[in-house]
Amino acid sequence: PTLVVTFLPRPVHSLRVVGDSARGEYPVDFIIRLYNAESDLLHEEVVTGNTEVVWTRRLEEPITSVTRMELEIRRWSHPGRVVKILEFFTSVQQTYLAGDILEISLIEEREVSQNTLPVGSISANEIKIRLSNEDRRFDADNAQSPLYELLKPNRRIRAWLAAVLPDGTEEYVPLGLFWSTEWQAEDDTVEASVVARDRLELLRKSTYQTSQVLQNTNLHDLAVLVLADAGLDPEEYWVDPALQQIRVPYAWFDPVSHREALRIIAEAGLAQVYCDRDGVVRMERQPAGADPVLEITADDYYRLSNPMRPNQVANEVIVSTSPLRPADMPEEVYRSNEPIMVPAGKAVTVTVYYQKTPVIDAIASLDGAPAGVAITQAAYYGWGAEMTIQNT
């Protein structure tokens, strides 16, 4: 049996193989191979006669630019048993305490910077951390550093502050879960810094493009669809159940970022979207009858000053809406301008964008297709469709 793990280029400082600790089984004879992106063998570790469930070995020199590891099992400790490897590839985790931290700056807000109301807005929290770099581990050209080739964007960062309790003990309070953007380590200083943002920044960089026209849905279910499409597990988000009471006759999205889709839903439901300090994306709606955000009393009144141009003052505000409703008759919403070439024995995937949106109950057909050419797969969205055309 052979176990293969691939990853982005990184250094390997030690090797570790963990067998089945519950049953006391382990590999006796095995080979570990390290490869780079060009599949060149960088290191081979041949082990025979192992008697430990947890086998580790520190390399004399770190092997850099490793992109693939292979573990080949030649002999198992117990005959007739299935090979069971509990651990082979371990992620790199570094912990920095107060002595290594020079500064932590945290920005938490639920309001964007363009003079909009907090309700219906969305923004990503940001943290900036300055760390001691006396050992030059954060230098990009230090091949001996345990972080060599690892200081890249989207590294997960957790931060805590220690609160001293009355009995003298410390309790660590989380500041949030963040992902790094850029790292800086100047040659003329002994410090390094990193700026990181929470999960809402990641949602800004991904696209929600599988939206179909949903009929008679609610804002809660819409938000769950968007978050699930972004790859979040149920324990990584929380949507206010009060949003189930706001129903939408027709709901759909153009291809937008997952964060923008959440902002549109929050705006429709007068809700807020933010990440809490446990890294959970939360969409909350202010409950009906809650205390007002701002209370204006007589102390806040000022003398009225009539404007210089009273004809520009509007005493009446009229809001016009155009609710969606299905068309009376089917319409053609797309026709290709040029023929689509499908080679013999091949399949072509075509993405089309409707000339009118949104579209429900879409049906695609081929115009003048020769024998053996047909649509074998189609996915219809509110903004367009993706289909596979096969030539047999």
Side-chain angles (χ1 to χ4, degrees), residues 69-278:
M69 300 173 62
E70 291 185 1
L71 171 63
E72 180 181 330
I73 307 296
R74 294 294 184 89
R75 187 157 65 97
W76 194 247
S77 58
H78 293 64
R81 305 282 183 88
V82 177
V83 170
K84 297 173 286 293
I85 299 298
L86 179 66
E87 183 180 346
F88 173 47
F89 171 80
T90 305
S91 62
V92 176
Q93 178 174 312
Q94 296 276 318
T95 302
Y96 299 92
L97 303 177
D100 303 313
I101 301 174
L102 304 180
E103 180 187 13
I104 292 182
S105 176
L106 176 64
I107 299 177
E108 290 182 312
E109 61 180 359
R110 303 187 194 178
E111 181 178 356
V112 294
S113 59
Q114 298 179 351
N115 298 323
T116 60
L117 294 174
V119 175
S121 63
I122 181 173
S123 66
N125 295 335
E126 180 180 284
I127 191 171
K128 183 177 181 180
I129 304 175
R130 292 196 300 120
L131 300 168
S132 172
N133 193 26
E134 292 183 358
D135 56 1
R136 315 310 302 183
R137 67 169 55 202
F138 293 99
D139 292 355
D141 55 353
N142 183 8
Q144 304 302 317
S145 169
L147 302 178
Y148 182 65
E149 296 181 321
L150 296 178
L151 299 178
K152 298 179 180 180
N154 293 335
R155 296 307 187 201
R156 188 162 56 182
I157 297 176
R158 287 187 179 271
W160 291 266
L161 284 181
V164 181
L165 302 179
D167 59 0
T169 60
E170 292 184 347
E171 178 180 348
Y172 281 90
V173 179
L175 296 182
L177 177 62
F178 307 90
W179 281 262
S180 63
T181 58
E182 59 182 48
W183 298 79
Q184 291 185 351
E186 304 294 340
D187 294 336
D188 56 349
T189 64
V190 291
E191 64 181 50
S193 63
V194 59
V195 176
R197 297 187 178 94
D198 62 23
R199 195 186 299 272
L200 290 176
E201 177 68 10
L202 298 181
L203 296 180
R204 186 183 65 86
K205 300 177 181 179
S206 57
T207 303
Y208 180 48
Q209 59 182 12
T210 60
S211 173
Q212 298 176 332
V213 180
L214 300 178
Q215 301 183 34
N216 194 26
T217 184
N218 62 75
L219 296 184
H220 176 277
D221 294 348
L222 276 178
V224 171
L225 280 177
V226 174
L227 292 166
D229 186 84
L232 274 67
D233 295 327
E235 62 270 13
E236 295 176 326
Y237 61 83
W238 182 86
V239 182
D240 196 334
L243 294 174
Q244 294 177 341
Q245 308 302 321
I246 304 178
R247 306 204 65 83
V248 184
Y250 295 93
W252 67 287
F253 295 92
D254 282 324
V256 295
S257 68
H258 290 93
R259 172 171 155 173
E260 175 63 13
L262 292 176
R263 188 199 65 80
I264 294 173
I265 297 172
E267 184 180 56
L270 298 180
Q272 296 174 333
V273 181
Y274 66 98
C275 276
D276 64 16
R277 289 191 166 187
D278 293 321

